[in-house]
Amino acid sequence: MPGFQVKIVLEGAAPPLWRRVLLPDQLSFADLHYILQIVFGWEEEHLHEFSFQHSRIIVSDMEYMDADVDEKEISADEYLRDGWIRYTYDLGDDWKHKITLEKEVTDYDKRYPTVIKHKRNNMEEDSGGVWGGEECRIPYDEAAVNSLLEAKCVCKPLMSQGFQKQNELKKQKEMDKLLQQIFKNLKIKQKKHSAKKSSDLERKLDKIHSFYEDCGIESSDIPIELLNEEQAAETGQLVFNFETGQTDVEPDLPDFTICKCESNLTQEVLLEQGAEKLIFDYAKYLLIPQNKNRGKKDTIKVILGVMNEHPEYYMTFLDEDMVQTYLSSIHKKAGEAISSVTEKSMVVLCSWGLWDARFFDIHGKKRIEISIAKGNESLLQFLTTQKLHQYYSKRKIISDGIFCILQSYGFMELSALHSKYQKAFGVIPYEELMRYLYIDGRFYGNFMTGECMIDNVPVPFAAVDGLDPELVLEDMKVYGSNLEYADFKNRQLLKWKEGIGSFIPAWNNLAGTLIDMNLVYPEELEVFLPELYLDTLSGLELSELLEIFENAMIDNPKDPMDMLYLTSIWLDMTECWLDTPLACLKGYSRRGLARRTGKDQFTIATDYDEETDIGVDELEGDEQIYELPWTMQQELFYLLSDGSLKKQKAVAKLREIAKGIGRKMAVFEVLEKMFLLHG
């Protein structure tokens, strides 16, 4: 029978607190909730909910919670395969459990779960959450927990009714993915709602995505010229004509067409199809002052007034391909095909009310009819001038500068961002820089912006996408409250255009190690390293970063070769951890701040506490290097990274440390080999 091996981490706990569990398949979320209560020792006294990496759906017990889906009616299988699941228990203390699928198993023959490994004891109920919570003094008894799971958590497979409900949600989930992608680009935080509450624009964008997905259209697949159904194709199937006795070519018509139609709709009418939040965000992008008495319709009129006066603002979110697509559509006659339209162009042009789209399915052939909004003479006049290239060159320079700064700092107050930009790249008015930040950054999902409370004063900020601003601010109050933002020179910032490794060389060493060990393909690093950099920039502990490697790349952590791999990664990852600027330190790295203050670099911006650090007497003998006591890791790092030490002296030091533990540990045998590799 199939099942799942998952790792469940209590987010924010330091040292890490987690459980590795085997789960049966076809498990309802109601069963998963009950399992988590037992595995983590909770007492089911509070509300809970499930949320997901790739969906806005909230699953819970609908008898008590306002959720999208009842946890009794839906299986967890598809969601486990699709990304992490977050289980939040006690919405006051906010215990967040991140459930990640490690692998699917084909021979799990039980209908109840089994804990196969754990770290740390449970936390006390109602103790305040991970930041101030208390750990149970009673040792975690894995055998007792498994006995309880076997007795109380025998789970029936979710029957067809549950899967029928799940299938009903499939289209909702697909739409969620679409909207997540689109609104990640637009950077609009929506309230969770069902499809019935979607705006006309959201439904239109959903249809656009379905059209491209159903037709299997990629940007590179779109013909230079799409054919109308009436137009003849030059290629097709050879068919014998019995009347003439000759072989004719029967044309193959495309499965989709995109053509122009006539309409009298204006941009104002089309913008009204968008949600109110979207319209107010457009006003914010354009730096239009807020007015509590101005409603959606009046706001649209103000937006169009600004755009008519400054048509160059369109260039901030319309790239050159979109402009050519738009101009091409202007010159088409009704019924003619529109050349090469990417999904991104379609979404942006419809989102800003420049196009309207209508959808048809005629005898199995998909069709979109595009109409051009009336009354955009100022935009058309601007697009036909010779200044277009000048604006795109300027946009690239400004956008690249913002990108380099935010990638370096991670999180910045907007006033500081403006100051650092001018110092590195030249004078620019604050309003102009903000316009590029909001429209170019937020619209295309490069950055996020918002307001945060600093000393009880709301302060606008910008951050790289994926960073948690609230978490950064909490850490900044602890570690960086007295710091000014670090200074980066123009030449240093521009290294970001060549990638992470150019800005921080230690990341190149890590990438080389991973490739040399055949743990990842070079193309995979393009996704993996930026995500890992973001985790490091966010201030994750070194142990948490190493767990990511163990879960993602190491098949058998107890195997000496895999342990050697993980130890090599630990050495390079520690360099990255020390050298990476932190958002909470306002752009300073641990190593850089240590040079400035004289503090030990390993103690800067960490949750290390000597009293809670694992003791030597608690080691079991099978720990990975990142699970050793923190002070011991520091000593080993300096030992291995100091090339001036002679091999014999270093090996003797390793043996001395190992002897001090009082028991044989595999990691020290690996470390001897490690030093021979690096010595």
Side-chain angles (χ1 to χ4, degrees):
M1 293 177 63
F4 302 99
Q5 179 178 308
V6 300
K7 186 170 184 181
I8 311 167
V9 177
L10 188 63
E11 295 183 85
L17 190 162
W18 53 265
R19 314 283 182 251
R20 182 169 282 123
V21 184
L22 291 173
L23 298 173
D25 69 341
Q26 299 181 31
L27 195 69
S28 73
F29 277 100
D31 285 335
L32 182 56
H33 155 66
Y34 192 51
I35 289 167
L36 291 165
Q37 288 287 306
I38 293 176
V39 168
F40 283 85
W42 301 124
E43 299 173 14
E44 205 159 5
E45 295 181 351
H46 303 282
L47 298 174
H48 67 275
E49 67 179 24
F50 291 94
S51 54
F52 309 95
Q53 182 177 6
H54 296 305
S55 176
R56 293 177 301 118
I57 292 173
I58 294 295
V59 173
S60 189
D61 186 344
M62 295 186 73
E63 186 176 349
Y64 302 103
M65 281 280 291
D66 182 16
D68 298 303
V69 187
D70 193 326
E71 62 186 20
K72 303 179 189 68
E73 298 182 356
I74 187 168
S75 166
D77 290 26
E78 181 183 348
Y79 293 87
L80 279 170
R81 295 187 180 104
D82 195 37
W84 52 255
I85 298 172
R86 177 171 285 123
Y87 171 74
T88 304
Y89 172 65
D90 186 348
L91 304 186
D93 282 358
D94 218 26
W95 303 102
K96 295 182 184 296
H97 311 66
K98 191 173 184 178
I99 308 167
T100 306
L101 176 62
E102 293 186 324
K103 63 181 178 180
E104 294 191 44
V105 292
T106 57
D107 55 352
Y108 189 65
D109 58 356
K110 303 177 179 64
R111 286 308 305 170
Y112 55 86
T114 306
V115 178
I116 57 176
K117 193 171 182 181
H118 73 279
K119 282 294 178 185
R120 291 184 61 190
N121 301 331
N122 292 328
M123 300 297 287
E124 291 281 3
E125 188 98 15
D126 296 322
S127 62
V130 291
W131 303 112
E134 297 178 7
E135 186 174 345
C136 293
R137 295 183 179 180
I138 302 173
Y140 192 84
D141 190 336
E142 197 172 287
V145 170
N146 282 331
S147 296
L148 197 58
L149 290 170
E150 182 177 358
K152 296 194 173 184
C153 293
V154 177
C155 308
K156 294 182 180 180
L158 195 62
M159 304 309 291
S160 58
Q161 181 180 3
F163 283 109
Q164 182 179 355
K165 177 69 176 177
Q166 188 165 332
N167 288 332
E168 290 172 5
L169 284 165
K170 190 173 182 182
K171 285 193 174 182
Q172 169 72 35
K173 190 163 177 275
E174 288 173 354
M175 190 184 90
D176 284 341
K177 280 189 176 181
L178 158 72
L179 293 181
Q180 185 183 39
Q181 175 188 346
I182 291 170
F183 287 103
K184 179 182 177 183
N185 292 342
L186 296 177
K187 259 325 181 221
I188 300 165
K189 293 184 179 178
Q190 290 186 300
K191 293 181 179 178
K192 301 176 181 70
H193 53 66
S194 66
K196 294 180 181 178
K197 297 179 182 178
S198 298
S199 69
D200 291 339
L201 174 60
E202 288 171 304
R203 290 193 288 272
K204 187 189 297 183
L205 298 182
D206 184 36
K207 289 180 180 179
I208 289 172
H209 181 69
S210 297
F211 175 89
Y212 279 81
E213 192 175 55
D214 292 345
C215 297
I217 307 174
E218 299 290 340
S219 298
S220 58
D221 295 335
I222 303 177
I224 298 300
E225 189 76 23
L226 295 173
L227 297 173
N228 283 328
E229 291 183 21
E230 295 78 16
Q231 290 178 294
E234 295 180 1
T235 60
Q237 296 179 338
L238 297 177
V239 179
F240 183 75
N241 190 323
F242 287 94
E243 293 183 5
T244 64
Q246 303 204 5
T247 301
D248 296 336
V249 177
E250 185 176 278
D252 285 336
L253 294 178
D255 291 331
F256 59 89
T257 55
I258 304 174
C259 64
K260 182 178 178 179
C261 68
E262 290 297 337
S263 170
N264 290 319
L265 292 174
T266 64
Q267 188 177 8
E268 182 176 349
V269 171
L270 293 175
L271 283 175
E272 287 179 4
Q273 296 178 357
E276 189 173 48
K277 177 74 170 95
L278 173 64
I279 300 304
F280 289 154
D281 268 3
Y282 282 180
K284 181 178 180 180
Y285 299 162
L286 296 168
L287 304 183
I288 296 171
Q290 293 183 355
N291 186 333
K292 294 181 180 179
N293 298 321
R294 190 167 57 216
K296 178 181 173 181
K297 287 188 177 182
D298 290 336
T299 302
I300 290 173
K301 290 180 180 178
V302 176
I303 289 171
L304 293 178
V306 171
M307 298 301 276
N308 285 331
E309 187 176 349
H310 296 280
E312 68 273 14
Y313 291 173
Y314 281 105
M315 299 306 99
T316 314
F317 58 85
L318 291 178
D319 61 31
E320 293 176 273
D321 288 337
M322 293 178 195
V323 168
Q324 293 307 317
T325 299
Y326 180 70
L327 288 175
S328 174
S329 69
I330 295 289
H331 297 117
K332 294 289 182 182
K333 296 179 181 178
E336 287 186 341
I338 299 177
S339 302
S340 187
V341 184
T342 64
E343 182 177 358
K344 183 178 178 181
S345 296
M346 187 82 74
V347 166
V348 172
L349 290 169
C350 287
S351 296
W352 282 85
L354 296 173
W355 270 8
D356 188 28
R358 293 189 296 171
F359 306 86
F360 303 92
D361 192 332
I362 305 172
H363 305 303
K365 295 187 182 295
K366 305 285 183 182
R367 180 186 182 95
I368 295 183
E369 290 188 353
I370 300 299
S371 57
I372 316 302
K374 301 294 183 182
N376 282 315
E377 288 76 13
S378 62
L379 173 60
L380 286 173
Q381 184 178 357
F382 175 78
L383 294 179
T384 55
T385 67
Q386 299 298 316
K387 295 182 179 179
L388 213 55
H389 179 71
Q390 174 186 339
Y391 278 101
Y392 278 122
S393 298
K394 181 179 180 181
R395 166 185 158 176
K396 178 167 176 51
I397 292 171
I398 296 174
S399 299
D400 284 351
I402 295 172
F403 168 79
C404 292
I405 287 178
L406 281 180
Q407 286 295 122
S408 305
Y409 292 91
F411 173 99
M412 291 192 83
E413 300 157 49
L414 295 189
S415 58
L417 173 63
H418 180 234
S419 173
K420 295 299 181 184
Y421 182 96
Q422 292 199 117
K423 192 170 183 178
F425 299 107
V427 176
I428 183 174
Y430 177 84
E431 292 76 10
E432 185 175 356
L433 185 67
M434 293 305 106
R435 194 171 290 114
Y436 277 92
L437 177 76
Y438 284 128
I439 301 183
D440 189 48
R442 289 195 58 177
F443 195 88
Y444 288 112
N446 298 323
F447 324 120
M448 54 182 171
T449 61
E451 282 191 347
C452 57
M453 299 299 292
I454 299 178
D455 297 329
N456 296 319
V457 177
V459 176
F461 73 86
V464 293
D465 189 38
L467 215 63
D468 186 338
E470 292 183 6
L471 212 56
V472 169
L473 275 173
E474 286 179 10
D475 288 344
M476 193 181 287
K477 289 176 184 176
V478 177
Y479 306 122
S481 59
N482 297 321
L483 292 175
E484 297 291 332
Y485 281 96
D487 272 327
F488 293 106
K489 305 298 183 185
N490 171 281
R491 185 167 44 186
Q492 188 178 5
L493 289 169
L494 288 177
K495 288 182 178 180
W496 262 111
K497 297 172 74 173
E498 301 171 24
I500 301 169
S502 294
F503 186 71
I504 309 168
W507 286 90
N508 272 341
N509 298 334
L510 176 63
T513 297
L514 296 177
I515 292 173
D516 291 343
M517 292 177 177
N518 294 318
L519 293 176
V520 293
Y521 294 110
E523 56 269 21
E524 292 176 320
L525 286 177
E526 294 179 8
V527 176
F528 179 74
L529 279 189
E531 291 180 352
L532 191 68
Y533 171 78
L534 191 62
D535 288 334
T536 310
L537 178 71
S538 301
L540 255 63
E541 295 293 326
L542 184 59
S543 59
E544 295 172 307
L545 296 169
L546 267 295
E547 279 193 3
I548 293 173
F549 284 101
E550 183 178 338
N551 293 334
M553 298 178 181
I554 305 301
D555 295 327
N556 183 7
K558 303 292 179 64
D559 180 80
M561 184 57 68
D562 280 351
M563 187 173 279
L564 176 61
Y565 287 165
L566 197 55
T567 306
S568 297
I569 293 170
W570 166 81
L571 186 61
D572 287 330
M573 190 65 238
T574 304
E575 294 279 3
C576 295
W577 185 76
L578 293 172
D579 283 345
T580 296
L582 299 185
C584 66
L585 294 180
K586 298 184 177 179
Y588 285 100
S589 68
R590 292 179 173 90
R591 186 167 276 161
L593 200 57
R595 286 194 292 264
R596 186 183 181 198
T597 62
K599 293 181 179 179
D600 187 304
Q601 57 191 354
F602 278 90
T603 64
I604 294 174
T606 72
D607 289 334
Y608 168 71
D609 185 338
E610 187 176 353
E611 294 182 1
T612 60
D613 190 18
I614 185 171
V616 172
D617 57 336
E618 298 177 74
L619 295 172
E620 298 173 358
D622 62 347
E623 282 81 6
Q624 298 292 344
I625 190 165
Y626 73 87
E627 296 172 314
L628 296 177
W630 185 230
T631 51
M632 188 181 293
Q633 287 187 57
Q634 296 175 46
E635 189 172 358
L636 291 170
F637 173 77
Y638 289 129
L639 180 66
L640 290 173
S641 59
D642 188 353
S644 65
L645 289 174
K646 293 182 179 180
K647 292 182 182 180
Q648 293 84 350
K649 182 180 178 181
V651 171
K653 180 66 174 176
L654 285 172
R655 289 174 179 162
E656 180 185 334
I657 297 172
K659 186 177 180 181
I661 291 176
R663 64 173 62 88
K664 184 177 180 180
M665 295 187 68
V667 70
F668 282 97
E669 296 176 11
V670 167
L671 282 167
E672 285 194 30
K673 295 178 183 177
M674 167 67 73
F675 186 81
L676 295 175
L677 287 175
H678 286 268

